């Protein structure tokens, strides 16, 4: 019997505590910098090394390159770069392997849409997704380069 | 005697308290259960088969989705097995970070259990209180690795991210807060007579039964077997730290509750000790760019919040495993359910099923 | 007088609908606050139109009668469940003058009529032809019959003290001291039994969603489901009113503050009772069905019998008899 | 005859009572039978209310509608396999029951002719619960107590019988 009263006391005490919920759709949720959101893609930095497509566990990245239109320069430039967000799991592996940081994560995460077709994002869209880009992208480097101390 | 009709009741796969998509085919006589037949596989995604076509790094995000309330431990299971097969050295700081995240994840997982279990028994508020504290842990993980559930944090040979500025202090604050907060939980739940009535003396099985059904984790310890892989097959750097293995006495669901509450305490203790010794240092070992695992096979067991999470890798020397098998503790623990439910009242069903603490993502693999 | 006779029930009905609308909102708000969240706050200012939106949704929903159901009984059941809920309000004295029927056996009338609802629940449960709802209906019937007995017996002490079954007389007899003081044991028994009668946590087994999904109204949708909900909340209204009348002195003021009108006093005490119902709901897990039955027959029933004995003895003790 | 609210109420209640009773016999589904029986009990309670016999009416609802009907429904739902009964086709049964009903009707008519009815309106308001209480616990104290002991014995007896069967 006493235990029941104790429990009632706990719940009563909680009534006066501040609310912990987010007013989410009205106010954006604060996310930390490392948050893994929709990728931003910078075509100029891309060297078409194909590593992101290779490392992707769900094969959601499609890319093709073409020869550099400027004949003096070597290498390739990107032609098509699509990410299918129906199957992308935002695992962060593509940004991890990218040697030039051409593909980086942003803090945007609102992908909900009424049509599945809308989830197929092309290079232009990914390029325009340039808000809230993640600052810190390579943490596995030796300390000093990135990361914090205690 | 009055003849009563035997009724076939389909509980699930869509039912509020089967914790996902478990289906139980129950034969009941009035409200007494005569026979239970669990049907699993509604959430089967073929992780093990998929893994045969994935490189070792690519497997890690898939393990996040097995036991989705303690993904850190799953990450560790596959990473640890690979490291063992390759004979890799992991830097100290990386191991410490792994331990902090795994133990915090254990706390989060047990909090989910306490909350949902009380929800199964009909109490709403403890669920939300537990989720508030779990939220703090998830936010910490979000800060550390950028996701709240699917961490993809560990890598073969280390971890992906070092702790951000001030993160370790936040963890310490949380540990101190949580150690005090547990008293509130005991006020709210442990002394509640209705809760005691509902859980005392139900779902009891013996030590022999538990061992013959290959139960592990708190489901085994509750029968009084002090078996904890963190001490008995020590992995990572657990051998450096002091912690108790709580065991049960009576083996009923109430005992399981107290056991898991004690495990939260022990986990917090481990985190506290790790925080005291963690030093600056590299977080990635010397790992080749393309992981080629030497031919051979390895089995490693990890103490996940639900029991022994085993990972068996057979490699033929390529960058992808030839065969990968997870010993998923929820699946093994679920086996004892039909035995436990025979002759029980239908309202005990939820209490017993909840007590086993299954995660359907893990049961179905 | 005649006008009141015809319009009174309609006004009461409207008031009742208003109460139910805001009781549901209040319940969700209270539970929200207890769980550190604001509760419904999207529809209208402070979420004031939340329930109205919910009811509109229920009314616009497709009305489904399951194919294998017993159509006639399925449609009849919500009505059988709701009508008595409204009928019992006739005997509740809100103030000295606001009462619809002044029965000499008001208390018994309340208890008798409220038992008819069980027939509605039971037939609805059976007619849906669903195993979960049948189990829920069975539990509900067993529970309500069992708890009616301690409920009635706990009130016997008060009836012995006042010598009347008329709720008006019972309220007036509390001028000196509310019955919650001399009849505290009876109050506890009454509170627990009324929680069980209302099918609220910790006694919400008939609709225990973790076991029986939604209990007896599993197959009900739209308007018919709304009727069951309405019946449930009207019973909350009625039971809280009855508790106020029996134990908290009805419309009688506290500390001689007579300038506040009686109806406000009634509302104040009434809200307190309703709040505690919601508070208990937010805290407690639910009992098991066999423990529930044992609790009624082995704990509450002997205790209420003891209470009757004690009242009878105290009536004979010189000093105490003024309270009894 | 003057048509008053009371008359209309009586009319409706008696029709409900009779209909309930007739349907009770003619329905083939046992649960329907139970529900229509509950309606009959309820309408009879209503007639008691009209006669100012409040206490009796309330007890009628409590015992018959609230307890007996529900227990019957409960029992039917819990134990029966088939809810519908097959129609019996036995001519001798029909003959016997018609004869029995005829004898009952004749004897009722004879009895009512011999009985004396109070022709004037009686003030029923004076007969409240106080009177019933006084009669039960005063004049008819011993029969009342004996009846309750008998009921108690029956209750305990049924429990013992049920328990014995349950153990077998």
């Amino acid at each position: 019997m006493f235990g029941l009263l104790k429990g009632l006391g706990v719940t009563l005490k909680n009534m006066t505590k501040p609310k912990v919920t987010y007013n989410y759709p009205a106010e954006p949720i604060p996310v930390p910098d490392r948050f893994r959101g929709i990728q931003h893609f910078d075509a100029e930095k891309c060297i078409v090394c194909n590593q992101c497509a290779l490392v992707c566990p769900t094969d959601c990245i499609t890319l093709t390159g073409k020869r550099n239109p400027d004949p003096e320069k070597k290498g390739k430039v990107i032609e098509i770069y699509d990410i299918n967000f129906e199957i992308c799991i935002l695992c962060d592996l593509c940004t991890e392997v990218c040697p030039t940081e051409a593909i980086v994560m942003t803090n945007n995460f609102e992908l909900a849409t009424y049509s599945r077709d809308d989830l197929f994002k092309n290079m232009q869209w990914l390029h325009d997704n340039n808000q809230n880009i993640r600052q810190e992208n390579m943490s596995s480097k030796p300390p000093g380069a990135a990361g914090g101390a205690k | 005697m009055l003849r009563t009709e035997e009724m076939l009741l389909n509980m699930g796969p869509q039912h509020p308290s089967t914790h996902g998509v478990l289906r139980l085919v129950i034969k009941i006589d009035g409200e007494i259960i005569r026979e239970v037949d669990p049907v699993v596989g509604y959430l089967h995604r073929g992780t093990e088969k998929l893994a045969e076509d994935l490189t070792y790094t690519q497997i890690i995000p898939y393990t996040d989705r097995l036991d989705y309330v303690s993904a850190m431990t799953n990450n560790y299971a596959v990473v640890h097995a690979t490291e063992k097969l390759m004979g890799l050295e992991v830097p100290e700081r990386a191991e410490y970070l792994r331990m902090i995240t795994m133990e915090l994840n254990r706390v989060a997982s047990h909090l989910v259990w306490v909350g949902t279990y009380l929800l199964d028994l009909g109490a709403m508020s403890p669920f939300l209180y537990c989720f508030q504290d779990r939220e703090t842990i998830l936010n910490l993980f979000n800060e550390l690795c950028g996701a709240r559930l699917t961490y993809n944090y560990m890598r073969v040979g280390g971890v992906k991210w070092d702790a951000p500025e001030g993160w370790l202090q936040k963890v310490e604050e949380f540990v101190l807060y949580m150690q005090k907060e547990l008293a509130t939980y005991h006020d709210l739940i442990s002394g509640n007579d209705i809760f005691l009535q509902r859980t005392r003396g139900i779902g009891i099985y013996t030590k022999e039964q538990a061992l013959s059904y290959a139960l592990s984790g708190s489901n085994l310890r509750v029968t009084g077997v002090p078996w904890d892989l963190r001490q008995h097959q020590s992995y990572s750097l657990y051998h450096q730290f002091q912690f108790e293995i709580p065991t049960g006495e009576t083996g009923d669901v109430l005992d399981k509750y107290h056991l898991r509450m004690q495990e939260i305490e022990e986990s917090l203790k481990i985190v506290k000790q790790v925080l005291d010794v963690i030093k600056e240092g590299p977080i990635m070992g010397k790992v080749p760019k393309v992981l080629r695992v030497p031919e051979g096979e390895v089995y490693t067991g990890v103490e996940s919040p639900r029991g022994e999470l085993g990972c068996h890798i057979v490699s033929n020397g390529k960058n992808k495993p030839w065969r990968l098998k997870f010993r998923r503790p929820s699946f093994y623990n679920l086996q004892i359910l039909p035995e436990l439910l025979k002759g029980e009242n239908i309202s005990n069903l939820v209490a017993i099923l909840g007590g086993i603490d299954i995660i359907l993502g893990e049961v179905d693999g | 007088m005649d006008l009141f006779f015809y319009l009174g029930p309609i006004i009461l009905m409207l008031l009742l609908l208003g109460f139910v609308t805001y009781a549901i909102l209040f319940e969700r708000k209270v539970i929200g606050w207890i769980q550190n969240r604001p509760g419904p706050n999207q529809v209208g200012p402070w979420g004031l139109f939340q329930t109205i939106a919910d009811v509109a949704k229920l009314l616009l929903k497709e009305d489904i009668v399951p194919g294998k159901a017993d159509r006639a009984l399925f449609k009849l059941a919500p009505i059988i469940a709701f009508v008595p809920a409204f009928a019992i309000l006739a005997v509740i004295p809100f103030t000295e003058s606001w009462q619809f029927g002044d029965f000499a056996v008001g208390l018994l009338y309340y208890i008798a009529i409220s038992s008819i609802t069980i027939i509605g629940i039971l037939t609805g449960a059976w007619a849906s032809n669903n195993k979960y709802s049948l189990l829920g209906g069975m539990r509900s019937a067993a529970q309500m019959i069992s708890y009616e007995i301690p409920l009635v017996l706990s009130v016997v002490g008060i009836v012995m003290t006042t010598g009347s079954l008329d709720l008006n007389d019972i309220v007036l007899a509390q001028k000196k001291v509310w019955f919650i003081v001399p009849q505290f044991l009876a109050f506890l028994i009454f509170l627990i039994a009324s929680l069980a009668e209302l099918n609220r946590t910790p006694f919400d087994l008939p609709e225990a969603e973790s076991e029986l999904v939604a209990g007896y109204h599993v197959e009900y949708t739209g308007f018919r489901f709304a009727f069951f909900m309405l019946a449930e909340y009207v019973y909350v209204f009625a039971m809280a009113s009855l508790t106020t009348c029996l134990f908290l002195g009805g419309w009688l003021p506290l500390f001689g503050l007579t300038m506040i009108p009686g109806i406000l006093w009634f509302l104040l005490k009434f809200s307190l009772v309703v709040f505690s119902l919601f508070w208990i709901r937010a805290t407690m897990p639910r009992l098991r069905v066999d423990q529930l039955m044992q609790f009624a027959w082995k704990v509450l029933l002997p205790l209420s019998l003891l209470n009757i004995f004690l009242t009878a003895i105290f009536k004979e003790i010189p000093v105490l008899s003024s309270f009894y | 005859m003057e048509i008053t609210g009371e008359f209309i109420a009586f009319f409706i209640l008696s029709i409900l009572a009779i209909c309930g009773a007739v349907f009770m016999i003619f329905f083939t589904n046992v649960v329907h039978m139970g529900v229509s029986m509950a309606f009959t009990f309820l309408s009879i309670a209503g007639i008691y209310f009209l006669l100012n016999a409040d206490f009796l009416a309330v007890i009628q609802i409590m015992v018959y509608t609230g307890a007996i009907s529900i227990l019957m429904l409960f029992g039917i739902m819990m134990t029966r396999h088939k809810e519908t009964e097959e129609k019996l086709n036995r001519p001798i049964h029909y003959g016997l029951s018609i004869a029995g009903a005829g004898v009952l009707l004749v004897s009722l008519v004879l009895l009512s002719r011999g009985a004396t009815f109070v022709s004037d309106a009686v003030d029923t308001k004076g007969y409240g619960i106080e009177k019933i209480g006084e009669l039960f616990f005063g004049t008819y104290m011993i029969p009342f107590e004996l009846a309750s002991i008998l009921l108690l014995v029956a209750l305990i007896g049924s429990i013992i019988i049920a328990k014995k069967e349950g153990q077998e």
Side-chain angles (χ1 to χ4, degrees), chain C residues 43 137 241:
Chain C
V43 191
S241 307

Side-chain angles (χ1 to χ4, degrees), chain D residues 73-121:
Chain D
L73 284 175
F74 201 88
I76 290 164
M77 290 177 191
M78 211 59 172
T79 50
R80 292 291 296 241
H81 284 257
K82 261 196 251 160
E83 282 86 14
T84 40
E85 256 182 23
E86 282 165 40
K87 279 246 158 122
L88 289 171
N89 196 13
R90 287 180 191 161
I92 302 169
H93 277 230
Y94 278 117
L96 277 178
S97 37
I98 286 170
V103 169
L104 190 70
L105 185 72
V106 168
S107 54
L108 274 175
V109 167
L110 287 177
L111 272 174
S112 63
R113 287 185 84 182
T116 48
F117 283 102
V118 184
S119 48
D120 305 320

Side-chain angles (χ1 to χ4, degrees), chain B residues 38-160:
Chain B
V39 182
V40 297
Y42 289 92
L43 199 58
H44 179 63
R45 291 146 304 180
T47 310
E48 286 170 11
K49 188 69 192 167
L50 280 170
E52 292 170 15
D53 202 32
L54 297 168
T55 62
Y56 287 92
T57 319
Q58 285 177 335
I59 295 170
I60 301 166
Y62 278 88
T63 61
D64 283 334
R65 283 141 182 94
L66 279 175
D67 177 359
Y68 38 75
V69 296
S70 68
M72 284 291 183
T73 328
N74 297 2
N75 278 188
Y76 185 75
V78 69
V79 164
H80 179 51
T82 318
E83 279 161 6
K84 200 169 174 192
L85 195 54
M86 291 174 75
L88 277 176
E89 283 276 317
V90 182
E92 201 181 40
R93 187 173 169 87
E95 285 287 16
Y96 285 151
L97 279 171
R98 285 175 177 185
M99 283 169 69
I100 292 174
T101 52
M102 277 196 288
E103 291 310 315
L104 282 181
N105 215 175
R106 191 185 311 276
V107 174
S109 168
H110 281 342
L111 281 175
V112 172
W113 179 78
V114 172
T116 51
Y117 189 63
L118 266 288
L119 197 66
D120 283 348
L121 297 184
M124 279 186 282
S125 297
F127 174 73
L128 280 116
Y129 298 152
C130 288
F131 266 58
Q132 275 167 40
D133 291 330
R134 174 179 180 253
E135 185 74 13
T136 321
I137 300 177
L138 294 193
N139 281 338
L140 284 170
F141 285 161
N142 199 2
E143 241 171 272
L144 180 69
C145 59
R148 292 159 50 85
L149 278 178
T150 51
Y151 309 117
N152 189 17
Y153 178 60
M154 295 180 194
R155 292 287 180 276
V156 177
V159 291
K160 168 146 167 91

Side-chain angles (χ1 to χ4, degrees), chain B residues 8 17 120-121 125 129 348, chain C residues 34 131 210 282 286 288 291:
Chain B
L8 197 74
S17 62
D120 283 348
L121 297 184
S125 297
Y129 298 152
N348 276 349
Chain C
I34 284 177
K131 287 160 186 170
S210 58
R286 75 174 67 82
R288 204 164 65 212
Q291 289 165 351

